[in-house]
Amino acid sequence: MKPATAPAEDVAAAANEVDRQRGYETGYRTGRSIGVAYLEAPELKEGDRAVLEPGMTFAVDGGISVDGVPAGRIGDSVVVTETGVDYITEYPREILLSKS
């Protein structure tokens, strides 16, 4: 994630570019703010110009598709800091594959 001065849409664009370079299609949103409501602004998506500030929390849960079929979604919760983000979730970062 980019430093705390980045607009929400720039963070989403950077994440989507990494996925595109690897040949994946991306969803409409990279993440969403965590607060009181289920869907709360700002969202990490195209068109959201809100500037990220230290203390903001996000569920970073964007997904990818392969050949138009949803293929993966990994979620992390993060808090924005002065220098980037800190992970709130502690979870192994290995890729898990399903044969179904």
Side-chain angles (χ1 to χ4, degrees), residues 40-62:
E40 192 164 312
E43 293 183 78
L44 304 176
K45 67 178 184 179
E46 185 177 342
D48 195 324
R49 300 287 307 150
V51 175
L52 304 188
E53 297 178 22
M56 289 180 161
T57 54
F58 290 89
V60 181
D61 54 6

Side-chain angles (χ1 to χ4, degrees), residues 1-83:
M1 196 178 258
K2 290 186 175 186
T5 58
E9 72 177 354
D10 289 1
V11 173
N16 289 340
E17 183 57 28
V18 169
D19 291 336
R20 278 190 210 90
Q21 287 176 1
R22 288 168 172 74
Y24 301 116
E25 300 170 38
T26 59
Y28 72 96
R29 177 182 69 206
T30 300
R32 56 188 167 76
S33 183
I34 301 171
V36 178
Y38 173 69
L39 290 177
E40 192 164 312
E43 293 183 78
L44 304 176
K45 67 178 184 179
E46 185 177 342
D48 195 324
R49 300 287 307 150
V51 175
L52 304 188
E53 297 178 22
M56 289 180 161
T57 54
F58 290 89
V60 181
D61 54 6
I64 61 169
S65 297
V66 176
D67 297 327
V69 177
R73 179 175 296 269
I74 298 174
D76 280 306
S77 295
V78 300
V79 61
V80 178
T81 68
E82 291 288 339
T83 58

